[in-house]
Amino acid sequence: MQPPVLTLAECSKRFGDRLAVRKADLEVAAGETVVVLGPNGAGKSTLIKCVSGAVEPTSGEIVFMGEPLPAGDPRGSDRKSTRLNSSHGYI
């Protein structure tokens, strides 16, 4: 069994005192399709923005192809961001 292409471990995002995403865990295998569903205001877009590098998670870890996406780099490093967007689309 291959390791997951994408892993989120207790990924959270706060905007001030508002918790937008709380301890999200996710593993995505190569070739797998994932759909994020939920009501308005549930944090779906914020979670996707964290994965794509547009927003930095407040806590937790995002690992792409075995390498943690670096905190503080809004693109998750140009090399990793390009690989994520071109090879897997926006997840």
Side-chain angles (χ1 to χ4, degrees), residues 13-74:
K13 178 60 183 174
R14 283 191 170 277
F15 294 101
D17 63 350
R18 182 162 186 250
L19 184 60
V21 176
R22 180 175 52 187
K23 295 185 178 182
D25 292 315
L26 176 69
E27 287 189 351
V28 180
E32 184 176 21
T33 300
V34 175
V35 176
V36 179
L37 297 173
N40 290 343
K44 301 175 302 292
S45 295
T46 301
L47 181 66
I48 300 304
K49 288 175 184 176
C50 287
V51 171
S52 71
V55 171
E56 183 179 346
T58 304
S59 63
E61 183 177 45
I62 300 174
V63 177
F64 177 63
M65 297 188 78
E67 297 180 42
L69 295 181
D73 182 351

